[in-house]
Amino acid sequence: MRWKVVSEQPLYVDEWLDIRVADVELPDGRHLDHRLIRTPPGAGVVAVDDADRVLLIWRHRFITDSWGWEIPLGKVEEGESPIQAAAREFEEETGWRAGPLRHLIDVQPTPGISDSRHHVYVAGTATQVGEPDGIESERTEWIPLSGLASLIERGDMASGTTLAALLYLQSKIKLSACGPMAPGPG
């Protein structure tokens, strides 16, 4: 059952947000006004070391007035590719330079209200090249992937993109440790 957008009207627009109201036709013919938020894409990096630890930032989010561990991630700037933005944001936010990046996952954290898309890459190495920019986070630490469940249970990791990327990465590591998967039925 597909909803059809008949029209969209802007309510507020700046460089970060494009808030709109859409006239949406439902499958039964009824119409409703639905708010939506359009945003530029974001990009981030999950850096993993040989000890299966990931480099995360501990930061405060004023909107929810909460602290938590997150992957470094930020806005893809005009004229910049997602992979370039991911590398830049990682270095700015952590003071580390990521090794070669490979695409890990794309995440749409709030598709019921926003078209926000986060491109997440993985790096198998990182080299400290300086200090973080100082405004993004309280601290940066290498966190064992094996400790993710306890961080989530304590509420120390709640970012949807961070959760999706790290849990997906962890599942890929576990699957590869099991060897090749047997073909399914049929």
Side-chain angles (χ1 to χ4, degrees), residues 38-123:
R38 298 203 180 280
T39 65
V45 172
V46 175
V48 185
D49 69 7
D50 291 339
D52 284 339
R53 299 178 307 165
V54 292
L55 190 62
L56 300 178
I57 57 177
W58 176 255
R59 68 174 304 161
H60 181 258
R61 290 295 186 176
F62 75 93
I63 296 168
T64 56
D65 192 22
S66 61
W67 288 88
W69 289 108
E70 297 181 12
I71 63 170
L73 183 136
K75 178 180 164 188
V76 177
E77 299 292 345
E78 186 74 31
E80 189 177 44
S81 71
I83 197 167
Q84 291 168 326
R88 176 185 50 76
E89 288 287 341
F90 183 79
E91 189 168 327
E92 288 174 1
E93 294 185 13
T94 67
W96 290 70
R97 183 167 297 141
L101 298 177
R102 295 183 328 271
H103 181 261
L104 177 65
I105 189 172
D106 287 344
V107 178
Q108 291 178 299
T110 54
I113 189 73
S114 173
D115 70 349
S116 179
R117 180 177 298 273
H118 297 160
H119 305 278
V120 182
Y121 298 86
V122 64

Side-chain angles (χ1 to χ4, degrees), residues 162-176:
T162 295
L163 288 167
L166 294 179
L167 294 172
Y168 179 65
L169 176 69
Q170 193 174 44
S171 73
K172 287 182 65 133
I173 290 170
K174 285 182 179 176
L175 285 175
S176 67

